Amino acid sequence: MENDILVIGAGPAGLAVAAALIDKGRRPLVIEKAQAVGAAWRTHYERLHLHTVKSLSALPGLAFAGEQPRYVPRQGVVDYLDAYAERSGVEPRFGEEATTIARDGEGWRTATRSGQAYRSNVVVIATGANNQPNVPRIDGEDAFAGKILHSRDYRNATPFAGQRVLVVGMGNTGAEIALDLAEHGVAATLSVRSPVNIVLRDVLGRPTQETSILLARLPTRLGDALARFLAGISVGDIRQLGLRRSPISPLRELRELGRTPVIDVGTLARIRAGEIGVRPGIRRLGGDGAEFVDGSKASFDAIVLATGYRAGIDALFPGIVVPIDASGLPPAMAGDGPLAGIYFVGFDTRQPGGLLRTIAAQALAVAARIGATSAVMPTA
């Protein structure tokens, strides 16, 4: 099957690129492994809200509805993506998971798990930085009598009523799952191995997202110093809570490592109140709980691994070396050399202001570049 432009993924990135291309008179083919647009948003934990304001999180051409709150809830994002696809005329082919992408003459041949093959001049990969759960092995996990699940499979606190739950990892997902558990009376503990940067979602009524965008425009050293100072005075000393503050500023950590600071929406208050425990990294698991690296032990009924995701992009290109950074993400938006004609949208986690804001800018840039360089292939 031939089409000039193939977009892989119908999440925010894929929809935004497809809509921008349609706006330019092009008609890309969009394939999606799930059965609906925005599939990841449909299965995120129920408590989730955007940590970025709706005015800076919309995709090109459609604002969030006025009745939505400043920080749109998970279902609101799902509804928005449905409306975006319909309004833009994006009609993905569902149930098609790309497995390999290989050169085919001057173009590309994309094979899918269903056995279908798509030939195109251009391939836009928009499968997301959070495509594959990262599930680390923990010494002794086979002996643990309770349930171990990745955060991808956590929906709400109901199944954990009356249990003791260990949440491994204090990124934004781990912090918010622990908060969700505590808000529903579940005994939650966070295992935090590494130093963290924590910022409040709002300071004096101003979204931290807006502040980070402004700080990023300053000279680097000044912006970093102000970011670290503001985080310190707004969050306070976290050492007494069993947490270690990152030695670099939130802005620098984002810029250099692609690591978003923990945007606090209430977890710290619950830790201070003793409603969420904090432990260091896990040394090993046993039948009824965990031993931590400081030698302490505690019993748990369930463990939630908030240990992140992998993009898994390199596996799509057998025989081609795909440049990826330490996080497994492509550092460039457009491929060159052996990857000419390949575009990566939705993987740049290093920009201030949130990933949706970055996606919106990248979608317009990629559509403009494709519109200027891509020759039209007849559609079969």
Side-chain angles (χ1 to χ4, degrees):
M1 182 173 296
E2 293 187 348
N3 194 289
D4 182 32
I5 306 164
L6 178 68
V7 177
I8 304 175
L15 293 177
V17 171
L21 286 165
I22 290 171
D23 193 52
K24 289 185 172 294
R26 309 300 288 271
R27 176 57 64 173
L29 174 62
V30 181
I31 62 173
E32 163 58 48
K33 67 180 180 180
Q35 296 298 325
V37 303
W41 279 95
R42 295 174 190 274
T43 56
H44 279 317
Y45 53 93
E46 295 173 3
R47 190 192 190 283
L48 179 65
H49 286 62
L50 288 179
H51 289 154
T52 53
V53 297
K54 65 179 182 180
S55 60
L56 296 175
S57 303
L59 302 179
L62 182 66
F64 278 96
E67 63 268 18
Q68 289 288 351
R70 172 186 276 185
Y71 299 104
V72 181
R74 182 194 63 83
Q75 186 58 49
V77 176
V78 171
D79 294 342
Y80 171 81
L81 295 177
D82 280 336
Y84 191 85
E86 182 177 359
R87 181 183 183 278
S88 303
V90 180
E91 298 178 346
R93 182 165 295 174
F94 296 115
E96 286 284 63
E97 179 180 3
T99 54
T100 60
I101 303 172
R103 272 292 180 193
D104 186 357
E106 294 298 312
W108 294 93
R109 182 181 183 275
T110 300
T112 67
R113 198 166 300 282
S114 70
Q116 185 64 262
Y118 298 92
R119 187 175 184 277
S120 60
N121 286 328
V122 170
V123 179
V124 180
I125 300 176
T127 48
N130 295 341
N131 189 33
Q132 301 169 356
N134 178 38
V135 184
R137 291 283 301 175
I138 304 175
D139 186 26
E141 65 179 46
D142 292 338
F144 180 64
K147 183 177 182 179
I148 301 176
L149 68 154
H150 190 269
S151 58
R152 180 186 65 171
D153 299 314
Y154 177 92
R155 297 292 176 269
N156 56 53
T158 301
F160 304 96
Q163 297 186 15
R164 298 156 298 179
V165 181
L166 179 64
V167 180
V168 181
M170 193 181 177
N172 279 295
T173 297
E176 195 157 355
I177 286 176
L179 175 60
D180 189 49
L181 290 165
E183 287 177 337
H184 290 86
V186 178
T189 299
L190 278 162
S191 171
V192 188
R193 181 181 60 182
S194 305
V196 292
N197 266 313
I198 303 175
V199 299
L200 302 185
R201 188 178 64 180
D202 299 272
V203 178
L204 300 176
R206 180 182 179 84
T208 291
Q209 177 196 17
E210 295 179 359
T211 301
S212 71
I213 294 170
L214 292 176
L215 292 177
R217 294 171 180 165
L218 297 174
T220 301
R221 291 183 63 183
L222 177 59
D224 286 349
L226 285 174
R228 187 165 175 80
F229 172 74
L230 290 171
I233 62 170
S234 60
V235 171
D237 187 0
I238 60 174
R239 291 174 297 179
Q240 60 183 338
L241 305 178
L243 300 169
R244 292 175 292 151
R245 187 183 181 192
S246 175
I248 63 176
S249 80
L251 204 58
R252 181 180 169 191
E253 193 167 47
L254 178 69
R255 181 178 64 248
E256 295 182 1
L257 304 177
R259 190 176 300 155
T260 303
V262 177
I263 301 172
D264 183 53
V265 292
T267 303
L268 283 180
R270 297 279 178 165
I271 293 174
R272 289 190 171 103
E275 298 171 16
I276 297 175
V278 175
R279 298 275 187 162
I282 299 172
R283 175 174 292 160
R284 64 177 63 89
L285 296 178
D288 66 347
E291 178 185 342
F292 299 95
V293 295
D294 63 353
S296 64
K297 298 180 180 180
S299 297
F300 299 100
D301 303 296
I303 297 174
V304 179
L305 301 174
T307 46
Y309 294 81
R310 295 190 179 97
I313 290 174
D314 49 340
L316 288 172
F317 293 91
I320 301 177
V321 176
V322 180
I324 55 176
D325 62 19
S327 299
L329 302 176
M333 186 175 63
D336 57 15
L339 289 172
I342 301 290
Y343 295 86
F344 305 95
V345 179
F347 300 96
D348 187 353
T349 61
R350 300 171 184 263
Q351 303 304 315
L355 185 56
L356 287 176
R357 180 172 178 265
T358 301
I359 284 172
Q362 286 188 331
L364 294 175
V366 165
R369 181 161 174 170
I370 291 174
T373 60
S374 177
V376 176
M377 176 185 293
T379 302

